[in-house]
């Protein structure tokens, strides 16, 4: 249990005097996947006008460019962030390096789990797509369609591959995702399912160190005391930020909206943010 009290802020503007580099989550902080949160577009632009270095760090299985395109379509101002790092981008670059070195065989049969048929996670990589777990040579969980399918659909899909010990990579460790029909199981829960069926999973994204290392490198490797990580997940953003040695701010507009006992949640994960704020507004 932390002895340091968690400070509640009236908006993220209070952080401007304390930090120069902002590592910002997108889902649950800036938008819900369909619409920006009230005040979020203005808050992001205000941070940039204040001269801050802004790196968006997302557990999205898609590469950086599709994510940035979506933000622009949602109405966020061009140039209101400096860099975008997604777990999908980190994974793509890793697979690309494996292909160049010969560690990834051409036409490797890949069972890709994504949303709405999106293939951006593997474009330009030497994969041959398969929809069958029986002949898959690699499983890539980039997203969940838990708003369309039940968990049994994925169990049937994964079981043959997991039984054969086919390697699985999860590029979106989030266990809960926000959808138009409410919270549903995320790709992280699908990774847990694959493991429960006897397979092994490599998870790429928050809270794991490599994505924070990549984000901080793009920010110029600043002193950790000048950095704050802002997100809506204790398990991914707060724990990951603590592991990276930076301050953390928990936004309560996303998956934790209406959570009755935050202190109990912090205790259960042994992860305590430095700050909380009700939403990603510059000031309430």
């Amino acid at each position: 249990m932390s002895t340091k009290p968690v400070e509640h802020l009236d908006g993220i503007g209070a952080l401007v005097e304390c930090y120069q580099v902002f590592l910002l989550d997108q889902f649950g902080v800036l938008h819900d996947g369909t619409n920006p949160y009230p005040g979020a577009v203005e808050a992001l632009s205000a941070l940039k006008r204040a001269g801050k270095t802004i790196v968006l760090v997302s557990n999205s299985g898609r590469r950086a460019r599709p994510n940035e395109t979506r933000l622009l379509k949602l109405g966020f101002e061009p140039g209101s962030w400096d860099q975008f790092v997604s777990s999908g981008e980190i994974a793509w670059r890793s697979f690309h390096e494996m292909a160049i070195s010969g560690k990834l065989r051409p036409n490797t049969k890949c069972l890709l789990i994504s949303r709405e048929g999106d293939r951006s996670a593997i474009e330009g990589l030497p994969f041959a797509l398969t929809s069958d777990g029986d002949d898959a040579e690699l499983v890539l969980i980039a997203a969940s369609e838990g708003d369309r399918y039940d968990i049994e659909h994925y169990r049937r899909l994964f079981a043959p591959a997991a039984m054969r010990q086919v390697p699985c990579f999860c590029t979106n460790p989030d266990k809960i995702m926000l959808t138009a029909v409410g919270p549903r199981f995320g790709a992280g829960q699908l990774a847990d399912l694959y493991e429960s069926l006897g397979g092994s999973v490599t998870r790429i994204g928050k809270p794991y160190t490599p994505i924070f290392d990549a984000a901080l490198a793009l920010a110029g490797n600043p002193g950790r005391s000048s950095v704050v990580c802002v997100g809506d997940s204790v398990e991914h953003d707060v724990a990951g930020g603590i592991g990276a040695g930076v301050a953390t701010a928990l936004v309560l507009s996303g998956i934790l909206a209406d959570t009755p006992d935050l202190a109990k949640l912090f205790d259960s994960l042994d992860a305590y943010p430095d700050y909380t704020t009700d939403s990603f507004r510059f000031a309430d």
Side-chain angles (χ1 to χ4, degrees), residues 127-187:
F127 289 130
L129 281 178
T130 179
S131 58
D132 191 345
D134 282 306
D135 66 353
E137 298 171 303
L138 183 146
V139 177
L140 178 55
I141 305 174
S144 161
E145 289 189 303
D147 48 344
R148 292 185 59 196
Y149 301 110
D150 63 17
I151 202 74
E152 291 306 312
H153 165 81
Y154 292 103
R155 186 184 302 275
R156 291 190 295 271
L157 194 58
F158 289 157
M163 191 177 302
R164 292 186 296 110
Q165 295 292 304
V166 172
C168 175
F169 296 82
C170 176
T171 58
N172 185 340
D174 289 354
K175 295 184 178 181
I176 299 172
M177 66 171 180
L178 301 173
T179 77
V181 293
R184 293 293 186 269
F185 60 83

Side-chain angles (χ1 to χ4, degrees), residues 40-68:
V41 171
E42 295 81 5
L44 189 62
S45 295
L47 275 183
K48 193 64 200 145
R49 285 196 304 272
K52 302 305 175 182
T53 300
I54 299 170
V55 182
L56 303 184
V57 188
S58 175
N59 274 358
S60 168
R62 296 183 178 187
R63 295 188 66 189
R65 187 173 295 278
N67 277 287
E68 293 184 287

Side-chain angles (χ1 to χ4, degrees), residues 198-281:
S200 62
V201 179
T202 299
R203 291 170 174 80
I204 301 169
K206 298 178 289 185
Y208 306 106
T209 302
I211 195 167
F212 286 95
D213 288 345
L216 290 165
L218 287 171
N221 287 314
R224 298 298 190 265
S225 63
S226 69
V227 182
V228 61
C229 174
V230 183
D232 73 321
S233 167
V234 178
E235 183 176 2
H236 299 104
D237 300 301
V238 174
I242 292 170
V246 303
T248 60
L250 183 68
V251 177
L252 305 176
S253 58
I255 59 173
L256 297 181
D258 304 318
T259 300
D261 193 344
L262 285 172
K264 184 178 180 180
L265 178 61
F266 300 156
D267 287 343
S268 69
L269 294 170
D270 193 26
Y272 304 85
D274 296 286
Y275 313 96
T276 59
T277 185
D278 291 332
S279 63
F280 190 79
R281 295 173 180 267

Side-chain angles (χ1 to χ4, degrees), residues 78-99:
S80 58
W81 63 91
D82 294 288
Q83 303 283 350
F84 195 111
V85 181
S86 70
S87 47
E89 184 73 29
I90 298 289
W92 189 95
R93 292 179 182 276
S94 176
F95 287 133
H96 183 62
E97 289 172 5
M98 288 168 63

Side-chain angles (χ1 to χ4, degrees), residues 3-49:
T3 57
K4 179 184 174 183
V6 178
E7 183 179 353
H8 188 73
L9 305 176
D10 292 326
I12 53 96
L15 300 174
V16 167
E17 296 300 318
C18 304
Y19 304 99
Q20 175 57 33
V21 177
F22 286 70
L23 307 182
L24 303 180
D25 187 26
Q26 59 163 339
F27 286 100
V29 174
L30 300 179
H31 63 85
D32 63 5
T34 305
N35 296 295
Y37 288 113
V41 171
E42 295 81 5
L44 189 62
S45 295
L47 275 183
K48 193 64 200 145
R49 285 196 304 272

